[in-house]
Amino acid sequence: MRIAALGPEGTFSHELAVKISGGSGVLLLPTIKRVFDEAESGRSLGLVPVENSDAGGVGETLDGLMDTGCRIIAEYYMQIRHNLASDGVTAGGCRVIYAHPQSHAQCSRFIEDLGIPVIHTASNADSAQLALKNSGSCAVTSLSAAKISGLEIISPDIQNSENNITRFVLISSDRGEPSGENYGVPEMAFTSGRKKCSIIVDPEIDRPGLLYSILGVFAGENINLTKIESRPSRRGIGSYVFFIDFEAECVEKLISSLKRIAKVKELGCYGREEV
Amino acid sequence: MRIAALGPEGTFSHELAVKISGGSGVLLLPTIKRVFDEAESGRSLGLVPVENSDAGGVGETLDGLMDTGCRIIAEYYMQIRHNLASDGVTAGGCRVIYAHPQSHAQCSRFIEDLGIPVIHTASNADSAQLALKNSGSCAVTSLSAAKISGLEIISPDIQNSENNITRFVLISSDRGEPSGENYGVPEMAFTSGRKKCSIIVDPEIDRPGLLYSILGVFAGENINLTKIESRPSRRGIGSYVFFIDFEAECVEKLISSLKRIAKVKELGCYGREEV
């Protein structure tokens, strides 16, 4: 099955989708929301960034997991390297920098030191295209987007952290057991087994100590949380839902205990795939 | 004391800063990071958005609270209304929409229905300016930014939620008791007293059940958490710190109990100010 991902050509999502698609094809879409819609329709799998080690959760992806019926069937970790690129301008000659807001956040120290105005764009690939079109400008972009646009790298590895990692998840509308054959992608291994599970817990009504009770269910089962992230419930300010990732072999008992105290949406159990 | 806020003229931050400055003056700066730097220098107070009921936490502000010595001295809640504005183009005639990423997220349904490409900008005011300069384009913007640029509102109230609220905090490098006189702004009431406190808890080393132990300290003292939000610790993927807001009259015992199990940064106790 083909993989839908955020385009245009040259985004980190595109690069990863090509690596894991194994010849099944990649469909590039303009927004993360459109990737979720495509995956939910069952026509494609979807590949979306869910968090970055520097900039945090990706709101559009968390909203997609909350709002659609898509489930997570695998996760991937990708080392992120950003570069300053231009069409013949030196770093000192840039009068304006094009950058995606997440890339800006991940390269904030380098950009702040330059002291040049930054214009936000919709993707790293758009940043590269804009730097190509507008003379005297530079782009924060990936190596592959710079290559595609024919830009020259003028400062490599400008991200704040040497250890900048983005976690991606592969999503599907399918409710069956994830396997390469099920998705018509035998190259995809799904070998690492079901190790991590993701859920959204919605307390619906807030009461003191509720989150403590929720975490008590995990502690009681000796289950390790690998992540907890709050997001607005959209019922008003101060009302939240919680995205929780945890490691467990068997989730049935945990989920039924949780459901006694809060609304639970299961996002799937899945393994980490290497690329 | 004057108040530094994210500019240019016409941002929601600017609108609120003018309301609360009481004639002490407003300094508009191009990024939230610069607002933190200005407040940390002691030359101004800073006003920054910290979370929105639809789009969630504002990463740059959370990073500023983590990285600088600024403390929170008051909080404000502002009703957010977004509009589609243009220089004589109808909604159907827009070929491109300029929008700040947070505004885009908060108006995603309306924008998705239009099906027009979106270009991200650095502020609502920039969106309005770009719509003015580029014919056939529209902007998602505030009423005040539309007015300043001379744009016409073609669709009012396009935000996803009728109840869209942004919470702002006023920050200062001062460690003393917040009072209007201390800051040379007698118009600022600081009347609502110290009701809410904010801290950052850094577990430093992850171990199963650690967050549960942290929340247990609050439960043991019968203290109500009003918010918990995780952010990357920047030590690598899967490592987090927690921003916690809670309501308490006396925090000394709580903080010393917490410090036995994790690193704690106190961001201040403060009241909610009405505007």
Side-chain angles (χ1 to χ4, degrees):
Chain A
M1 196 178 271
R2 73 179 169 188
I3 296 177
L6 180 68
E9 282 196 344
T11 59
F12 291 110
S13 295
H14 175 217
E15 205 175 303
L16 183 61
V18 167
K19 274 186 192 160
I20 66 178
S21 67
S24 303
V26 171
L27 173 68
L28 295 177
L29 294 169
T31 63
I32 287 176
K33 189 177 178 304
R34 291 277 301 276
V35 175
F36 271 93
D37 291 345
E38 176 70 16
E40 196 174 30
S41 76
R43 290 187 298 266
S44 307
L45 301 175
L47 181 73
V48 285
V50 67
E51 61 173 322
N52 173 269
S53 57
D54 244 50
V58 180
E60 272 183 285
T61 294
L62 298 174
D63 288 345
L65 291 170
M66 190 147 68
D67 296 338
T68 70
C70 291
R71 286 164 70 93
I72 301 172
I73 58 171
E75 65 171 353
Y76 301 85
Y77 290 77
M78 188 183 193
Q79 171 89 43
I80 301 295
R81 296 189 179 284
H82 291 289
N83 308 278
L84 190 71
S86 77
D87 185 22
V89 181
T90 60
C94 294
R95 286 195 312 272
V96 65
I97 295 175
Y98 293 101
H100 184 264
Q102 283 260 341
S103 306
H104 185 187
Q106 292 168 32
C107 303
S108 57
R109 280 181 224 143
F110 179 90
I111 292 173
E112 184 74 15
D113 285 347
L114 286 181
I116 301 168
V118 179
I119 297 177
H120 283 174
T121 67
S123 73
N124 291 317
D126 280 356
S127 301
Q129 280 299 320
L130 284 162
L132 188 68
K133 278 183 206 153
N134 296 285
S135 68
S137 69
C138 297
V140 174
T141 192
S142 66
L143 193 59
S144 73
K147 262 190 199 163
I148 289 166
S149 304
L151 293 186
E152 201 182 318
I153 304 292
I154 49 178
S155 294
D157 277 347
I158 60 169
Q159 64 279 356
N160 295 344
S161 163
E162 260 306 293
N163 194 19
N164 184 325
I165 306 276
T166 294
R167 177 181 165 225
F168 289 82
V169 290
L170 192 65
I171 53 171
S172 165
S173 63
D174 193 82
R175 308 252 130 205
E177 188 69 18
S179 81
E181 295 212 346
N182 281 2
Y183 301 118
V185 191
E187 294 85 349
M188 284 164 57
F190 296 96
T191 47
S192 45
R194 293 168 52 170
K195 285 281 177 56
K196 191 185 273 187
C197 301
S198 296
I199 57 174
I200 303 174
V201 176
D202 182 351
E204 296 187 295
I205 303 152
D206 186 41
R207 61 172 175 80
L210 184 62
L211 183 59
Y212 182 61
S213 308
I214 291 167
L215 296 187
V217 174
F218 289 90
E221 302 273 327
N222 211 15
I223 288 174
N224 188 28
L225 267 68
T226 57
K227 185 187 159 198
I228 178 165
E229 177 162 4
S230 58
R231 285 285 296 168
S233 70
R234 303 191 207 127
R235 286 189 295 265
I237 194 109
S239 170
Y240 306 97
V241 302
F242 299 97
F243 283 74
I244 296 178
D245 292 348
F246 57 94
E247 288 162 353
E249 290 301 315
C250 175
V251 299
E252 285 70 15
K253 191 171 161 227
L254 176 88
I255 300 289
S256 67
S257 300
L258 286 173
K259 283 187 173 169
R260 265 177 239 129
I261 51 176
K263 195 170 146 192
V264 178
K265 180 175 181 183
E266 296 176 64
L267 299 174
C269 292
Y270 49 88
R272 173 173 173 168
E273 300 284 321
E274 303 300 333
V275 277
Chain B
M1 196 176 273
R2 72 180 170 188
I3 296 177
L6 179 69
E9 283 195 342
T11 60
F12 290 110
S13 295
H14 175 219
E15 203 176 305
L16 183 60
V18 168
K19 274 186 192 161
I20 65 178
S21 65
S24 303
V26 171
L27 173 67
L28 295 177
L29 295 169
T31 63
I32 287 175
K33 190 178 177 305
R34 290 277 300 279
V35 175
F36 271 93
D37 291 344
E38 176 71 18
E40 196 174 28
S41 75
R43 291 187 298 266
S44 308
L45 302 176
L47 182 73
V48 285
V50 67
E51 61 173 322
N52 173 269
S53 56
D54 243 51
V58 180
E60 273 184 285
T61 294
L62 298 175
D63 288 346
L65 291 170
M66 190 146 70
D67 295 338
T68 71
C70 292
R71 285 164 70 93
I72 301 173
I73 56 171
E75 65 171 352
Y76 301 85
Y77 290 78
M78 188 182 193
Q79 171 88 42
I80 302 295
R81 296 190 179 284
H82 291 289
N83 308 278
L84 191 70
S86 79
D87 184 23
V89 181
T90 60
C94 294
R95 287 195 310 272
V96 64
I97 295 175
Y98 293 103
H100 184 264
Q102 283 260 341
S103 306
H104 185 186
Q106 292 168 31
C107 304
S108 57
R109 280 181 225 142
F110 178 90
I111 292 173
E112 183 74 16
D113 285 347
L114 287 181
I116 301 167
V118 179
I119 297 177
H120 283 174
T121 68
S123 72
N124 291 318
D126 280 356
S127 301
Q129 281 297 320
L130 284 161
L132 188 68
K133 278 183 205 152
N134 296 285
S135 67
S137 69
C138 297
V140 174
T141 193
S142 66
L143 193 59
S144 72
K147 262 190 200 162
I148 289 165
S149 304
L151 293 186
E152 200 183 318
I153 304 293
I154 49 178
S155 293
D157 277 348
I158 61 169
Q159 65 278 357
N160 295 343
S161 161
E162 260 305 295
N163 194 19
N164 184 327
I165 305 276
T166 293
R167 177 181 164 224
F168 289 83
V169 290
L170 191 65
I171 53 171
S172 166
S173 63
D174 193 81
R175 306 253 133 206
E177 188 69 17
S179 80
E181 294 210 347
N182 281 2
Y183 300 117
V185 190
E187 293 85 350
M188 283 165 57
F190 296 97
T191 47
S192 45
R194 293 168 51 172
K195 284 281 177 58
K196 191 185 273 186
C197 300
S198 296
I199 57 175
I200 303 174
V201 177
D202 183 351
E204 296 187 296
I205 302 153
D206 186 41
R207 60 173 176 80
L210 184 62
L211 183 59
Y212 182 61
S213 308
I214 290 167
L215 296 188
V217 175
F218 289 89
E221 301 273 329
N222 211 14
I223 288 174
N224 188 28
L225 268 68
T226 56
K227 184 186 159 198
I228 179 165
E229 177 160 5
S230 58
R231 286 285 295 168
S233 71
R234 303 190 208 128
R235 286 189 295 267
I237 194 111
S239 170
Y240 306 97
V241 302
F242 298 96
F243 283 76
I244 296 178
D245 293 347
F246 56 95
E247 289 162 354
E249 289 302 315
C250 174
V251 299
E252 285 69 15
K253 191 170 162 228
L254 177 89
I255 300 290
S256 67
S257 300
L258 286 173
K259 282 187 174 169
R260 265 178 239 130
I261 51 177
K263 194 171 146 191
V264 178
K265 180 175 181 184
E266 296 176 62
L267 298 174
C269 293
Y270 49 88
R272 173 174 174 167
E273 300 285 321
E274 302 300 332
V275 278

